[in-house]
Amino acid sequence: MHPAFSVIFLTTLIGVGQGLFLALYTGQLYSLANLLPPQDSRSFYAFGGVIAVAFLIGGLIASFFHLGRPERAWRSASQWRTSWLSREVIVLPITVVSIALYSGLHFIGWTGPWFTVAGVLPVDATLVAGGLAMIAVLLLFVCTAMIYACLKFLQEWHSWLTVVNYLLLGSASGFMLAAAFSAWQGVGLVGFYGAWAAILTLAAFVTRGASLLRNRRLRHKSNLQTAIGVRHNHIVQMAQGATGGSFNTREFFHRRPRQVTRGIRIAFLVLVFPVPVVLLLLAYLTSSATLPVLAFVLQYLGLIAERWYFFAEARHPQNLYYQYVS
């Protein structure tokens, strides 16, 4: 498939925003259970929520560059009964609004407890709003991933690993940003968020590696024999019948040499997984405030490469016919 950078930025940016919110909410739960020191509502949770919303809106803006007629974007939500894309279009603004509400409640200080669960967990307005936002975030992860995982004819994507990878990679990048945010704010949560970021990154390494191995061993259901109904062993497609390119030759194949795709695969395997974890470990040992920021930046650059490879790896059956221009 042809990787569109508008979709690459959409999926990576909203993943960071979703993961950052999950990190903030997890930190708040730990604080309410007296497992972490409490943080300031305005400077930490409210400001952190604003950053999460900014990433989500950035992804939403990037998605508009993928539309031929942006003024008709609202129509994409009309097929929610059958389309995961429509469901994503509906859930994304709900997620933005719910995280903005969570951030706003922290900003105005609505943190007085309504009641206490089991005598240890005080429940206030921010906790309820955050719980609703967490549900929206998880639904958005599923909707975004299922846009690709539901396509049976693209066997590289049609797997439960696609959903798990979107969830883990988005969460890992969000917790990585939370560690950087904590370091920038000078609060003592770098170790907490850094540890979770490392755990999620390693878990994502296992599942993303599993999807790479699975795709390498795939036996595609469609081939030249099945495409034309001829069972001869030596069939070679010489030309598509036209001398110029077309929508089919542009949109369904990246047309990059194999060396380029291999290099991008190596780049994202290095930048997304081992490098940020090592930087976090060095930050913990040296109490550095800049290394967590560098870890997030490098991991996000790696995620852009990872998402490019995710799209480029998928082999659309139509390329059996449109594989050569001349």
Side-chain angles (χ1 to χ4, degrees):
M1 294 290 288
H2 173 70
F5 276 97
S6 55
V7 181
I8 290 172
F9 283 117
L10 163 67
T11 55
T12 54
L13 288 174
I14 66 173
V16 173
Q18 292 168 264
L20 177 58
F21 167 74
L22 291 179
L24 294 172
Y25 193 61
T26 302
Q28 183 180 359
L29 289 175
Y30 272 69
S31 296
L32 291 175
N34 296 319
L35 298 175
L36 286 176
Q39 303 302 319
D40 184 75
S41 278
R42 284 192 176 184
S43 63
F44 191 78
Y45 294 114
F47 188 36
V50 168
I51 295 175
V53 169
F55 272 92
L56 287 161
I57 292 178
L60 185 61
I61 293 173
S63 69
F64 277 82
F65 291 94
H66 195 63
L67 302 175
R69 300 291 296 271
E71 70 276 12
R72 297 178 182 175
W74 62 273
R75 293 185 179 180
S76 60
S78 62
Q79 305 300 315
W80 59 272
R81 293 180 181 83
T82 58
S83 168
W84 285 104
L85 177 61
S86 289
R87 293 163 189 162
E88 183 195 41
V89 170
I90 295 171
V91 175
L92 177 53
I94 292 175
T95 304
V96 173
V97 171
S98 59
I99 296 178
L101 175 63
Y102 171 81
S103 176
L105 289 174
H106 271 292
F107 184 79
I108 62 177
W110 279 27
T111 55
W114 290 348
F115 56 90
T116 303
V117 177
V120 294
L121 183 63
V123 177
D124 57 28
T126 63
L127 199 65
V128 174
L132 296 175
M134 183 181 68
I135 295 172
V137 162
L138 295 177
L139 283 175
L140 182 57
F141 271 127
V142 173
C143 291
T144 304
M146 283 303 296
I147 293 173
Y148 311 102
C150 72
L151 300 176
K152 295 182 180 180
F153 57 93
L154 291 176
Q155 293 175 250
E156 289 83 356
W157 297 348
H158 185 56
S159 167
W160 61 272
L161 286 169
T162 300
V163 180
V164 174
N165 286 332
Y166 267 72
L167 174 62
L168 289 179
L169 289 171
S171 299
S173 61
F175 274 80
M176 197 71 71
L177 179 57
F181 179 59
S182 300
W184 179 66
Q185 288 240 331
V187 299
L189 297 181
V190 179
F192 171 74
Y193 286 126
W196 271 111
I199 292 171
L200 291 167
T201 299
L202 293 175
F205 175 74
V206 173
T207 58
R208 190 65 178 98
S211 69
L212 290 174
L213 291 175
R214 169 189 174 274
N215 293 345
R216 177 174 292 186
R217 297 171 180 171
L218 274 179
R219 298 186 65 181
H220 288 90
K221 298 176 182 177
S222 299
N223 51 48
L224 285 175
Q225 285 78 14
T226 61
I228 60 176
V230 175
R231 297 188 178 276
H232 197 281
N233 292 329
H234 301 286
I235 300 175
V236 179
Q237 195 268 346
M238 300 298 294
Q240 63 171 358
T243 57
S246 64
F247 176 83
N248 290 326
T249 58
R250 290 191 301 271
E251 292 297 317
F252 297 99
F253 187 48
H254 54 84
R255 300 203 175 280
R256 298 290 189 280
R258 186 170 298 177
Q259 294 85 349
V260 173
T261 57
R262 186 185 299 122
I264 291 177
R265 184 180 64 218
I266 295 172
F268 89 71
L269 285 174
V270 172
L271 288 175
V272 173
F273 303 111
V275 171
V277 173
V278 171
L279 289 175
L280 284 177
L281 179 61
L282 291 175
Y284 178 77
L285 295 175
T286 62
S287 301
S288 170
T290 56
L291 287 178
V293 179
L294 181 61
F296 167 72
V297 172
L298 291 178
Q299 187 176 60
Y300 182 73
L301 293 176
L303 284 175
I304 293 175
E306 186 275 337
R307 209 48 48 87
W308 188 95
Y309 186 84
F310 170 79
F311 288 107
E313 186 184 34
R315 296 174 56 182
H316 198 291
Q318 72 101 48
N319 293 327
L320 294 172
Y321 182 77
Y322 292 99
Q323 55 186 293
Y324 296 113
V325 171
S326 59

